[in-house]
Amino acid sequence: MTADYAGLLHVLRPETQLVVGAVLVLFFDMVWAKHRPANRHHVALALGTISLLMAGYEAATMGATGPVYGGAFMVDQLAIVTRTGVIGLALLSLALLPDAVRLRHPAEFTAILLFATTGFTLMAVANNLLLAFLALELASLSLYILAGFNKTDPASAEAALKYYLFGAMSAAFLLFGFSLLYGLTGSINLDLIATHLAVRGQPPLLIVALVMVLVAFGFKAAAAPFHLWAPDVYQGAPAPAAALIASASKLAGLVLFTRLLWPGLGGTAGTIAHLPLTVGWAPVVALLAGASLLLGNIGALAQSNVRRLLAYSAIAHAGVMLLGVIAAGRTGLGPLFYYAATYGLATVGAFGVIAALESGGRVQQLSDLAGLYRRSPFLAGCLAIFILSLAGIPPLAGFFGKFAVFASVLQLGGLQGPAGWLTILAIALSAVALYYYVLILKQALVATGAPEVAPVRAPLPARLALLVAASLIVLLGLMPSLLLGLF
C-alpha cells in the first residue's frame, strides 16, 4: 500500500469537519451552555448544523480523484454524491432535534449524530474490507446509542438493546465473511480481490464467505428474513434517530454493499435473467428481495401503529433496492441511488411530521394522526407528499424511482425469467402498498379527531427541514435527470 498522506488528508476533509464539529459541540456545552440550560438546545443545533454544512460543502466540491492511499479509498462520482446525500439527510434529521424540555442532553445527541454521519461518509469511499468494517461499525455503534437516547421511555431502551444484539450478530457474520475473503485472496483491497478471483477461479469456500456477507448486509438493510429488529427500533427510537436509521444509514449501506458486490465480487454474481439460474450471489439477493417485498407489504397491512407500519414499509422498500443492486452491474448505479436517496427524503419527512406532533406526547397509533389537517395544514400537506411518494404516485420522486428500478431489472432479460417475475411481483405489491399508505392519509386528511386538541406549532428548524424535503421530492419527481444525470 502506498502511504499517500497528502491524498489521505484531502480525502478525509468531510470527516475531519464532522469530528471537529462533534468535539466543539461537546466542548461548548461543557464550558458554556451547560450553565445556561435554556441555550443548550440552540447551541448544539447551531454548531451541528454548521459542521454538517461545512462537511457537505467539502464533499460536494471534492473532485473525483479515483483510488487514494493505496486504493483503500475510492473517490469517484458515486462516492461524491453519496457523501453529499448522507450529509444532507443527516442535516434534515438534526433539524428534528426535540426541544430542551424533552431532550435532556442535546449536545451529546448532536455529537453522536455527527459521529454516525462520519461512519456513513467513510462507507461511501471505502474500497477495502478493513475500512468498510470500521466505517460500518462506527455508524452502527452511534445508531445503537441514538436509538436508546430517550432514557425516560422503556420502549427506547428496548429498541436500543434489540438493535445492538442483532447488530452485533451481523457484525460477527460480516467479520467472518471478510476474514474468509482475505484468506482466499490474500488481499483486503476490492480491486485485488476481483483480480485474484478472476485468475484463480472460485473455490468452494467462497460460497461460505458470500453467505456470511449477505446475511450480515441483510441484517443491516432490514431485509427479510433478517428484519426482526426494524419494527421495534422504529417504534421505540426517538423520531430524529429513527429518521437517520431509515434514511442516511440505508443509503450509505446500500452503496457500500453494491461497491463490495460488483467491483469486488462481480465475477461471482451469477445471473437470474433466464432459467436455469447461474450460481452466484445474485440469485441469493433475488431471494432476499422477493422475501422482503412479500413480508414487508403483507406485514404492513396488519399494523395499526404508524411507526411499525413505516418499518414494514421500509422492509418492502429494501426489497426494491435489492432488485436495484442486482441490476446495477448492467444498467449502472443511477436507478438504485435515485431510489434510495428519494426514499430517504420521504422517510425523513414522515418521521419529521411525527417528531413535530410529539411536542404533545408520543405518536404511535394511526389514530394519533386524526384531524391533522385542522391542527396543522402545513404538516398535513407535507405528510401527504411524503406518503404519496412512498406509495409511488406520480409525479412525485417515489414514482420515478420505482419506474427506474423496475425498468433496469427488466433490461436483464425481459419478462421471461426470474428477474422479470420478481419485477411483476414488485409492481403487484406496490398496488397492495397503496392500501396501507391510504390508511395514514385517511387519518391525517379525512378523520376529524378530537375537537379539543390544540393546534400543532412545529419548531422553525423542523418546518424548514420538512419544506426542503417536500420540495426536493416534487422537484426530483419532475426533473429526475438532476440526480440520474450525475451518473
Side-chain angles (χ1 to χ4, degrees), residues 118-144:
T118 306
F120 299 151
T121 56
L122 284 174
M123 288 161 66
V125 295
N127 197 46
N128 80 29
L129 301 182
L130 181 59
L131 181 61
F133 182 78
L134 292 176
L136 196 58
E137 288 312 300
L138 172 60
S140 297
L141 289 171
S142 303
L143 293 178
Y144 303 151

Side-chain angles (χ1 to χ4, degrees), residues 22 31 61 182 207 217 241 258 300 310 313:
V31 302
T61 57
Y182 174 69
I207 297 174
F217 275 102
T258 309
L310 288 175
S313 158

Side-chain angles (χ1 to χ4, degrees), residues 356-446:
L357 286 172
E358 286 189 338
S359 58
R362 290 278 284 176
V363 173
Q364 292 287 343
Q365 300 300 316
L366 283 170
S367 56
D368 293 334
L369 300 173
L372 180 61
Y373 71 97
R374 288 194 306 166
R375 300 162 62 193
S376 174
F378 172 74
L379 291 179
C382 288
L383 182 65
I385 291 175
F386 303 138
I387 296 300
L388 290 175
S389 181
L390 288 172
I393 301 298
L396 301 174
F399 165 77
F400 196 84
K402 287 187 178 181
F403 176 82
V405 169
F406 295 160
S408 66
V409 179
L410 286 176
Q411 289 183 37
L412 295 178
L415 293 173
Q416 305 299 319
W421 303 338
L422 271 175
T423 306
I424 294 172
L425 176 68
I427 293 171
L429 290 173
S430 295
V432 173
L434 277 175
Y435 174 75
Y436 58 77
Y437 285 128
V438 167
L439 291 180
I440 299 177
L441 295 181
K442 178 185 174 184
Q443 289 294 326
L445 304 179
V446 179

Side-chain angles (χ1 to χ4, degrees), residues 74-353:
M74 178 58 71
V75 185
D76 52 10
Q77 186 65 14
L78 175 63
I80 291 171
V81 295
T82 303
R83 274 175 151 185
T84 308
V86 295
I87 290 172
L89 291 170
L91 185 59
L92 295 176
S93 301
L94 179 64
L96 309 178
L97 197 67
D99 57 39
V101 176
R102 290 185 296 120
L103 188 65
R104 294 168 56 192
H105 305 287
E108 288 84 347
F109 188 96
T110 304
I112 296 169
L113 185 144
L114 293 176
F115 285 131
T117 310
T118 306
F120 299 151
T121 56
L122 284 174
M123 288 161 66
V125 295
N127 197 46
N128 80 29
L129 301 182
L130 181 59
L131 181 61
F133 182 78
L134 292 176
L136 196 58
E137 288 312 300
L138 172 60
S140 297
L141 289 171
S142 303
L143 293 178
Y144 303 151
I145 299 171
L146 292 178
F149 208 82
N150 188 357
K151 292 187 286 187
T152 62
D153 186 0
S156 182
E158 181 184 348
L161 180 62
K162 287 184 178 178
Y163 197 15
Y164 169 74
L165 291 176
F166 279 105
M169 194 189 321
S170 71
F173 275 105
L174 187 64
L175 199 56
F176 188 33
F178 280 179
S179 64
L180 288 177
L181 284 176
Y182 174 69
L184 289 169
T185 62
S187 175
I188 58 173
N189 185 285
L190 296 185
D191 299 328
L192 295 178
I193 288 174
T195 303
H196 183 94
L197 292 177
V199 172
R200 299 193 177 184
Q202 302 174 14
L205 198 57
L206 181 63
I207 297 174
V208 180
L210 284 174
V211 169
M212 295 293 113
V213 171
L214 292 176
V215 167
F217 275 102
F219 275 115
K220 298 292 184 187
F226 312 112
H227 63 284
L228 296 177
W229 59 270
D232 293 321
V233 172
Y234 279 47
Q235 181 180 359
L244 193 69
I245 292 168
S247 59
S249 167
K250 192 157 282 189
L251 176 60
L254 275 169
V255 168
L256 174 61
F257 188 41
T258 309
R259 199 189 286 280
L260 171 68
L261 288 183
W262 278 114
L265 303 170
T268 64
T271 178
I272 61 166
H274 303 287
L275 291 176
L277 299 175
T278 305
V279 176
W281 55 257
V284 180
V285 174
L287 281 176
L288 294 179
S292 301
L293 287 165
L294 279 171
L295 196 146
N297 283 298
I298 294 174
L301 289 174
Q303 302 305 314
S304 59
N305 182 301
V306 64
R307 285 169 172 255
R308 295 184 75 86
L309 190 155
L310 288 175
Y312 278 100
S313 158
I315 295 166
H317 282 281
V320 179
M321 291 179 207
L322 290 177
L323 289 179
V325 170
I326 296 170
R330 176 167 179 175
T331 61
L333 288 161
L336 174 63
F337 181 86
Y338 181 92
Y339 189 92
T342 54
Y343 165 78
L345 281 172
T347 310
V348 166
F351 275 104
V353 173

